[in-house]
């Protein structure tokens, strides 16, 4: 993508406010004249939705709850998925290619919401940022580690307001949990367990085959985005792409940005120093596994070691998915739920344990009767009553460096890198040397040592291919 030479130019909204015409009052009418609650057109945020179906449809509906928002453009490669959003926003211009939309609408939009498959998050977001557009990007922020580093740098370079779509990051629960941990109610945290019920889509299955006609509503080439060219197969759309490495990031990518957010928001960590994992193996015949390097496994467990930022020791963080969970704490009564249906987090400290549900909701000490017996700390962390979506809208209107978001890219970027280390470990674990025997048959099944500064595994070079993928011609990231 070419860089835009005018990335530091004022937004359309600021331009209107600062021109002599605006100063003279030709276009700006005082609010009191328009009536209480009326928002002048110059004070509205014009948003383009890149990915208008599925999660994109619900994201746009959330933004539109603000009277300060106009949804002015929609992008989707599949007309079938865009139906609802096109009905909800009939005045929005519709495109199939976000690159065409950005070229034609760059003077009409202030911000973009990116809700495509994981495969296209980074290329779409960076293209918008290079035009000086604020961005809201669904989780996970990116498909791989390299992309997360690029978007983190881009947010600073292009001075745009950013937010990742992990709504729990703006919730009261994670703030209350931080207040409890910071108050010393569990002592120094040394071990963390995280888990999810995902995947709830097919994983650990053979690569789809067969000859199928591409639906007339779908631009298959655009749907593939940066991924290598393959034949169309309906098995990937509209949701099951999550289980295939070319397009998705598996259970970890789907849910870790929600479930592990309290871990990063509360504890003094950023990048792991090592990661190791194990995954479920499916056998198609005796002694012959059917590990498919194209797809995510049906379940996995991973262990990450994080040096504390103060240099005083490490924190161990474990992740379980695919129906696997940590052992129930002795402090939890047999009939008490461990987390909730979607998953949860347990932090173990030198003085006790604390648990929360998915999204950091409902934090409670273990055993739970301590919630009534212990004095809870006073509320000291600012809450976000407007919610995650409207927080970003308001921050965009305030302008870069003035507004505040819960999960800007300087937080979400390193967080995403750390999460995707787990997928790097999984893909390393699944590598097979067909000519080797015994333990040597799976050379990547080891504790991988990570040099975060240089984004490199230092003790198994073959794993570094999963730090940065190859991009199809025309889809490369250029910061």
């Amino acid at each position: 993508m070419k860089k835009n030479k005018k990335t530091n130019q004022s937004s359309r909204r600021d331009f209107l406010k600062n021109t002599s015409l605006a100063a003279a009052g030709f276009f700006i009418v005082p609010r009191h004249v328009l009536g209480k609650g009326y928002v002048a057109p110059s004070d509205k945020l014009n948003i383009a939705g890149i990915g208008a179906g599925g999660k994109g449809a619900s994201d746009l509906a959330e933004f539109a709850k603000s009277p300060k928002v106009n949804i002015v453009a929609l992008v989707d490669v599949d007309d079938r998925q865009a139906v609802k959003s096109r009905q909800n926003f009939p005045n929005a211009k519709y495109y199939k290619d976000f690159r065409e939309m950005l070229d034609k609408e760059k003077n009409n939009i202030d911000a973009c919401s990116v809700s495509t498959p994981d495969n296209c998050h980074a290329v779409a977001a960076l293209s918008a940022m290079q035009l000086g557009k604020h961005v809201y990007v669904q989780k996970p922020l990116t498909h791989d580690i390299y992309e997360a580093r690029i978007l983190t740098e881009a947010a600073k370079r292009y001075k745009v307001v950013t937010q990742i779509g992990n709504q729990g990051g703006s919730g009261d629960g994670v703030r209350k949990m931080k207040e409890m941990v910071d108050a010393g109610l569990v002592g120094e945290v040394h071990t963390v367990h995280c888990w999810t019920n995902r995947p709830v889509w097919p994983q650990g299955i053979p690569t789809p085959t067969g000859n199928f006609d591409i639906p007339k509503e779908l631009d298959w080439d655009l749907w593939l985005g940066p991924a290598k060219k393959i034949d169309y197969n309906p098995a990937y759309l509209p949701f099951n792409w999550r289980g295939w490495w070319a397009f998705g990031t598996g259970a970890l990518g789907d849910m870790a940005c929600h479930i592990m957010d309290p871990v990063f928001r509360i504890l003094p960590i950023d990048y792991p120093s090592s990661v190791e994992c194990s995954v479920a193996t499916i056998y198609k015949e005796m002694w012959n596994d059917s590990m498919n390097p194209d797809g995510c496994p049906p379940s996995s467990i991973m262990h990450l070691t994080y040096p504390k930022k103060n240099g005083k020791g490490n924190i161990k963080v474990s992740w379980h998915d695919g129906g696997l969970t940590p052992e129930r704490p002795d402090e939890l009564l047999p009939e008490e739920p461990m987390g909730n249906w979607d998953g949860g987090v347990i932090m173990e400290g030198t003085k006790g344990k604390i648990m929360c549900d998915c999204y950091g909701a409902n934090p409670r000490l273990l055993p739970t009767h301590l919630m009534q017996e212990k004095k809870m700390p006073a509320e000291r962390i600012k809450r976000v009553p407007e919610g995650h979506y409207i927080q970003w809208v308001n921050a965009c209107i305030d302008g870069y460096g003035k507004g505040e978001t819960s999960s800007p890219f300087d937080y979400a970027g390193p967080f995403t890198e750390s999460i995707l280390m787990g997928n790097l470990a999984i893909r390393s674990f699944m590598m097979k040397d067909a000519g080797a025997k015994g333990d040597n048959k799976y050379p990547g099944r080891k504790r991988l040592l990570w040099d975060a500064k240089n984004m490199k595994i230092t003790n198994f070079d073959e794993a570094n291919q999963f730090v940065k993928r190859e991009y199809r011609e025309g889809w490369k990231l250029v910061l």
Side-chain angles (χ1 to χ4, degrees), residues 201-205 241-245 248-251 292-299 423 426 430:
W201 53 86
Q203 282 193 187
I205 60 176
W241 51 264
R242 292 186 177 279
W244 302 99
W245 294 122
T249 49
N292 184 356
D294 294 338
C296 310
S299 60
N423 279 345
I426 289 174
M430 294 173 67

Side-chain angles (χ1 to χ4, degrees), residues 11 13-14 17 43-45 47 63 66 68-69 110-111 132-136 159-163 170 382 384 386-408:
S11 68
R13 182 180 59 258
D14 291 334
K17 288 182 178 179
D43 292 332
K44 286 198 172 188
L45 185 74
I47 297 176
F63 295 129
S66 170
K68 301 177 182 179
V69 163
D110 306 309
K133 309 307 176 186
H134 310 301
V135 290
Y136 182 103
K159 300 185 185 304
V160 294
V161 178
T162 57
Q163 182 98 297
S170 291
K382 182 181 177 182
V384 187
E386 68 272 29
H388 203 62
Y389 291 93
I390 306 305
Q391 181 198 52
W392 175 73
V393 167
N394 293 339
C396 291
I397 291 173
D398 290 341
Y400 179 80
K402 298 177 182 178
E404 180 180 354
T405 58
S406 298
S407 298

